[in-house]
């Protein structure tokens, strides 16, 4: 495990999230609800972008993948067959003095961390939330909020196979809410009771599972790096065989250097044929695969990369966060990858005069048809740049009186704070090209590099 010092504190991330409207405590006016969070106007854009980046890489850009969306409420027999009713537990201890409850495996000492009191013996606590289906609150009507999205893929294995005529190896992917009645929550959105997952079940021929396990571990690490996570902030932690989850043959956590230290961001698991066999036995349905080439029926093995949206979003925020000295103040800048940035472009007219406003608004309306764009004409240009830096907007476009005459605008890039002046007719295409990785100083026809920076203070 890499020993490194986290580059940002959780206080700074929480404070920026609160201040700029990324994440709020759930039901805050009532004092909040422990382990639940609400995404604000910028947070939801960031979250949608994280989900889209995953969906694009895992489903849309691949021939061997399909997506589905299954319901949160599932037949209670699902959770008996999957083993969750029996095994999806954490060890719980309670303080005999203050009655607070803790996860035994998270404690470093055998006494209450709150008051020092004596603790009860460990007991296993099932993390699934229970509710009733229909109007009668009877035990026979008990159902559960799903604790993982994965079972939706397993119970639909045959539906997908029959309707898409897939050949192995192929995967089924899904994103959606999961719920766990965690004994202790904390570290902001890292561990909550309601969260979102992005999971993929990759069905392979038994015997090829080890090769595919390595493949997916690498793919997933590369995905984080491609979207802005520093490679040195990622690590792999192999689970000890004796501590594997009830369904797993091999599990590796991809860990990230969060402000509180190295913690799991994603799990990659080799689930063998456990789930399909369990559901086949419990439902009486055949859940196997006919191999055209070898003329045999068999139950595929499964490799599963499973990640929490909220947990990966927190990692993207941590690695984007930077502070730089800036005259007497500090410039806080979120260096989000452009594909994840909640706002891609800000249009900043240098005056509120009507002729310039109308002109700038037309540019804004044109850009926002395909790019998340903000219009901001309040306060000094320097303050507006800082506001956009703090929410991670990669490009700011200043519109000045000269623009009315030469039909050109100045584009300023967030990280290096370099500026180019380009024709408005080239603006959208140029920004899209830069977002896709083109060198910022590569100019479109009629463009020039602005040598003297527009005064930012
Ligand atoms: N289907 C396998 C599965 O659910 P997991 O390791 O329990 O495996 C997968 O969960 C991912 O879901 C974790 O790596 C984490 O990113 C996220 N996750 C799990 N519990 C969470 C919680 N209480 N709050 C936020 N994210 C959570």
């Amino acid at each position: 495990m890499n020993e490194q010092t986290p580059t940002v504190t959780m206080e700074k991330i929480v404070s920026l999230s609160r201040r700029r409207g990324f994440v709020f405590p759930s039901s805050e006016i009532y004092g909040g609800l422990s382990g639940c969070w609400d995404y604000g106007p910028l947070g939801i854009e960031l979250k949608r972008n994280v989900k889209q980046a995953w969906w694009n890489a895992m489903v849309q850009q691949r021939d061997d993948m399909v997506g589905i969306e299954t319901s949160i409420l599932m037949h209670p027999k699902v959770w008996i067959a999957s083993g969750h009713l029996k095994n999806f537990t954490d060890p719980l201890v309670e303080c005999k003095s203050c009655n607070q409850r803790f996860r035994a495996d998270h404690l470093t000492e055998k006494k209450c961390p709150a008051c020092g009191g004596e603790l009860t013996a460990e007991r296993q606590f099932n993390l699934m939330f229970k509710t009733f289906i229909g109007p009668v609150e009877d035990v026979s009507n008990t159902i559960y909020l799903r604790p993982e999205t994965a079972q939706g893929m397993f119970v639909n294995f045959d539906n997908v196979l029959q309707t898409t005529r897939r050949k192995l190896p192929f995967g089924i992917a899904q994103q959606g809410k999961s719920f766990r009645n965690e004994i202790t929550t904390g570290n902001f959105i890292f561990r909550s009771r309601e969260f979102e997952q992005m999971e993929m079940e990759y069905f392979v021929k038994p015997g090829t599972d080890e090769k595919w396990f390595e493949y997916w571990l690498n793919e997933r690490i590369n995905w984080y790096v491609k979207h802005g996570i520093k490679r040195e902030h990622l690590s792999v932690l192999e689970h000890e065989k004796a501590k594997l989850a009830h369904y797993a043959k091999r599990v590796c956590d991809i860990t990230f250097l969060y402000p509180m230290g190295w913690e799991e961001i994603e799990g990659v698991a080799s689930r063998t044929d456990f789930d399909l066999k369990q559901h086949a036995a419990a439902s009486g349905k055949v859940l196997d695969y006919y191999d055209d080439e070898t003329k045999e029926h068999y139950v595929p093995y499964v490799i599963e990369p499973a990640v929490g949206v909220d947990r990966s979003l927190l990692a993207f925020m941590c690695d984007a966060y930077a502070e730089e000295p800036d005259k007497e103040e500090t410039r806080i800048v979120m260096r989000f990858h452009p594909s994840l940035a909640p706002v891609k472009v800000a249009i900043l007219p240098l005056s509120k005069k009507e002729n310039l406003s109308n002109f700038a608004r037309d540019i804004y309306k044109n850009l926002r048809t395909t790019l998340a764009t903000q219009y901001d004409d309040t306060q000094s240009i320097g303050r507006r740049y800082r506001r956009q830096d703090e929410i991670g907007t990669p490009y700011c476009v200043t519109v000045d009186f000269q623009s009315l005459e030469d039909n050109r605008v100045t584009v300023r890039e967030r990280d290096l704070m370099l500026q180019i002046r380009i024709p408005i007719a080239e603006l959208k295409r140029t920004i899209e090209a830069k977002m896709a990785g083109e060198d910022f100083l590569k100019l479109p026809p009629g463009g020039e590099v602005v040598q003297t920076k527009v005064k930012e203070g």
Side-chain angles (χ1 to χ4, degrees):
M1 176 72 61
N2 289 327
E3 292 299 337
Q4 286 176 49
T5 315
T7 44
V8 61
T9 63
M10 193 68 97
E11 289 69 36
K12 285 185 178 173
I13 295 293
V14 173
S15 153
L16 184 135
S17 296
R18 184 80 195 74
R19 189 165 74 243
R20 301 312 310 269
F22 281 90
V23 180
F24 308 117
S26 162
S27 326
E28 193 177 11
I29 58 168
Y30 291 102
L33 180 65
S34 137
C36 300
W37 299 91
D38 293 343
Y39 284 84
L42 291 173
I44 183 59
E45 296 294 338
L46 176 61
K47 194 179 190 201
R48 289 168 70 113
N49 293 341
V50 170
K51 287 166 66 179
Q52 177 51 29
W54 186 91
W55 194 259
N56 186 261
M58 299 294 277
V59 181
Q60 293 170 325
Q61 299 301 322
R62 299 188 64 105
D63 293 329
D64 57 352
M65 204 72 70
V66 291
I68 57 170
E69 182 174 297
T70 68
S71 60
I72 289 172
L73 303 178
M74 299 179 78
H75 197 291
K77 284 186 181 167
V78 167
W79 308 113
I80 300 171
S82 70
H84 282 79
L85 203 57
K86 190 159 164 250
N87 299 317
F88 197 60
T89 55
D90 277 336
L92 176 121
V93 286
E94 187 171 333
C95 174
K96 289 181 181 171
S97 310
C98 70
N99 295 112
Q100 284 200 59
R101 293 171 167 201
F102 306 95
R103 239 179 95 165
D105 56 336
H106 283 179
L107 297 180
T108 46
E109 290 180 284
K110 285 191 167 18
K111 59 179 184 180
C112 173
C115 73
E118 194 190 336
L119 298 170
T120 59
E122 264 180 49
R123 71 178 170 88
Q124 291 303 316
F125 174 78
N126 195 295
L127 301 185
M128 286 198 292
F129 276 99
K130 278 186 207 170
T131 185
F132 301 99
I133 192 152
V136 183
E137 295 194 6
D138 184 83
V139 184
S140 61
N141 292 332
T142 301
I143 55 160
Y144 303 90
L145 302 188
R146 67 178 176 200
E148 63 170 17
T149 62
Q151 297 304 321
M153 272 84 91
F154 294 124
V155 301
N156 277 289
F157 169 74
D158 200 50
N159 285 339
V160 172
L161 195 61
Q162 298 310 327
T163 52
T164 64
R165 301 157 64 89
R166 291 274 149 179
K167 293 215 178 311
L168 293 188
F170 76 92
I172 310 180
Q174 131 154 271
Q175 303 181 329
K177 289 260 172 151
S178 292
F179 302 82
R180 296 184 189 179
N181 198 4
E182 298 281 357
I183 297 168
T184 45
T185 57
N187 287 320
F188 193 36
I189 53 176
F190 177 82
R191 190 184 310 284
S192 41
R193 296 197 164 104
E194 174 176 344
F195 54 98
E196 223 169 322
Q197 287 186 309
M198 309 190 276
E199 298 196 286
M200 191 276 287
E201 310 304 323
Y202 200 69
F203 299 94
V204 304
K205 187 173 181 178
T208 64
D209 44 305
E210 284 174 22
K211 175 186 86 179
W212 286 113
F213 187 95
E214 293 298 333
Y215 170 85
W216 279 110
L217 190 58
N218 281 328
E219 279 291 293
R220 295 301 306 142
I221 290 172
N222 293 341
W223 182 81
Y224 289 107
V225 175
K226 185 175 169 201
H227 292 91
I229 299 282
K230 296 181 183 79
R231 181 63 187 85
E232 63 272 23
H233 289 172
L234 292 171
S235 189
V236 174
L237 182 69
E238 175 106 32
H239 284 213
E240 285 171 43
K241 288 266 179 283
K243 291 189 181 164
L244 287 176
H246 64 273
Y247 49 75
K249 173 180 165 193
R250 184 180 175 199
V251 176
C252 282
D253 290 346
I254 301 176
T255 57
F256 173 75
L257 185 60
Y258 286 99
M260 63 284 189
W262 288 96
E263 293 284 352
E264 171 186 347
I265 184 171
E266 169 156 359
V268 179
S270 180
R271 294 181 78 127
T272 66
D273 52 9
F274 174 86
D275 301 86
L276 288 179
K277 279 195 170 156
Q278 288 290 107
H279 287 305
S283 67
K285 299 280 187 287
V286 175
L287 296 178
D288 65 11
Y289 175 77
Y290 177 67
D291 192 323
D292 273 345
E293 281 164 28
T294 61
K295 311 284 179 228
E296 3 158 47
H297 288 269
Y298 53 81
V299 181
Y301 270 29
V302 172
I303 307 299
E304 175 198 68
V307 53
V309 178
D310 317 78
R311 222 176 251 197
S312 58
L313 181 146
L314 178 60
F316 285 120
M317 289 193 83
C318 292
D319 262 14
Y321 188 96
E323 286 180 4
E324 291 173 357
D326 172 40
K327 301 191 189 116
E328 303 89 69
E329 294 178 354
T330 302
R331 176 171 100 112
I332 296 174
V333 51
M334 293 298 276
R335 298 191 198 281
F336 287 126
H337 186 277
S339 65
L340 301 187
V343 178
K344 315 294 184 204
V345 196
I347 303 293
L348 314 176
L350 284 188
S351 148
K352 284 187 182 173
K353 289 231 167 68
E354 201 182 339
N355 57 345
L356 198 67
S357 293
N358 291 342
F359 190 80
R361 279 200 178 274
D362 281 346
I363 299 173
Y364 163 63
K365 283 183 193 154
N366 177 263
L367 282 192
R368 76 175 180 188
T369 56
T370 53
L371 293 166
T373 309
Q374 268 193 2
Y375 186 89
D376 186 1
D377 61 2
T378 54
Q379 297 187 305
S380 75
I381 189 70
R383 276 182 185 271
R384 281 182 270 169
Y385 279 151
R386 292 297 166 270
R387 276 204 293 270
Q388 295 299 334
D389 289 343
E390 212 187 22
I391 64 169
T393 307
Y395 306 104
C396 286
V397 174
T398 47
V399 186
D400 52 32
F401 286 104
Q402 183 68 24
S403 306
L404 297 175
E405 284 160 29
D406 67 2
N407 271 313
R408 298 199 305 166
V409 286
T410 302
V411 184
R412 175 253 200 199
E413 194 268 342
R414 174 196 68 199
D415 296 342
L416 299 170
M417 294 190 284
L418 296 173
Q419 300 186 8
I420 55 176
R421 191 160 176 90
I422 60 169
I424 294 164
E426 298 286 340
L427 183 61
K428 194 189 266 186
R429 197 198 56 74
T430 303
I431 288 177
E432 281 166 354
K434 309 289 178 218
M435 282 180 58
E438 185 184 89
D439 180 357
F440 183 71
L441 293 182
K442 182 157 186 266
L443 296 168
E448 65 177 312
V449 176
V450 178
Q451 296 299 348
T452 39
K453 278 205 270 178
V454 168
K455 195 167 157 276
E456 293 208 1

